[in-house]
Amino acid sequence: MPSAPRPVTNTAADKRWRPVEAAMRRNGYRAGGLIEALHAVQRAYGYIDEAAMRAIGAALQLPLSKIYGVVTFYHFFHLKPKGRHTCVVCLGTACYIKGADRLLQTISREQQVSPGETTADGRLSLLTARCVGACGQAPAVVIDDQVVGQAEESAIHRQLAGLNSAGPGSDEEQP
């Protein structure tokens, strides 16, 4: 029989950890509350690092390997801080057949960032997904939560080039 759940103590001084603690407490510090706790970390910090995974593991009495497995299984969890903009290239079967791998290589070369990484200036994170659910629009690319269906290299190039001047998470100050 597992011992009584214990609250996380090493993150108590960080106010951003309070929603995470509340999520775990709401679920009685049971393993079934793992996803909710991970979402709370993602919202509070923007990504989930090893320290957060260890703290959640201690509170929910789960091994780090299980938490890491869950974090890396779902594409909406991030292990590193994201850039101000995100570009997600779908590599599902339909998108792959329609040239998503070529699109990914082009974006990577033009933006000088490898898949899964963020540009050196923090402007763009280039990510991949197993499927974004837009198979009828293959190849699909998601730029700042906007799906670009039947994506062509030139259109994606223009959109990514325009990220510095407008759109969600714009680099420019608003009046």
Side-chain angles (χ1 to χ4, degrees), residues 31-114:
L34 175 60
I35 297 285
E36 186 175 341
L38 292 173
H39 276 293
V41 172
Q42 182 81 30
R43 279 190 302 272
Y45 295 89
Y47 67 102
I48 303 168
D49 65 2
E50 184 179 333
M53 287 189 276
R54 287 187 184 281
I56 289 172
L60 303 183
Q61 299 181 344
L62 291 170
L64 181 60
S65 60
K66 180 172 180 85
I67 297 169
Y68 181 80
V70 171
V71 170
T72 56
F73 179 80
Y74 295 106
H75 77 274
F76 44 79
F77 291 133
H78 305 283
L79 293 170
K80 300 175 187 172
K82 287 186 355 182
R84 292 183 297 279
H85 302 281
T86 57
C87 176
V88 181
V89 178
C90 179
L91 295 179
T93 303
C95 290
Y96 190 84
I97 290 171
K98 295 278 191 164
D101 61 328
R102 196 174 48 252
L103 262 175
L104 179 63
Q105 290 172 4
T106 300
I107 295 167
S108 177
R109 184 181 60 251
E110 289 180 356
Q111 299 297 319
Q112 300 178 340
V113 61
S114 299

Side-chain angles (χ1 to χ4, degrees), residues 1-6 61:
M1 180 168 201
S3 61
R6 292 174 289 148
Q61 299 181 344

Side-chain angles (χ1 to χ4, degrees), residues 4-34:
R6 292 174 289 148
V8 175
T9 56
N10 62 346
T11 52
D14 188 345
K15 290 181 180 179
R16 295 178 299 173
W17 191 258
R18 289 180 184 164
V20 180
E21 187 66 34
M24 293 188 293
R25 187 176 42 251
R26 191 171 33 256
N27 287 291
Y29 294 99
R30 289 187 301 263
L34 175 60

Side-chain angles (χ1 to χ4, degrees), residues 132 134 137 140-150 159:
V132 297
Q137 301 178 46
V141 175
V142 181
I143 300 174
D144 288 338
D145 298 326
Q146 298 294 314
V147 176
V148 179
Q150 300 174 342
Q159 280 199 260

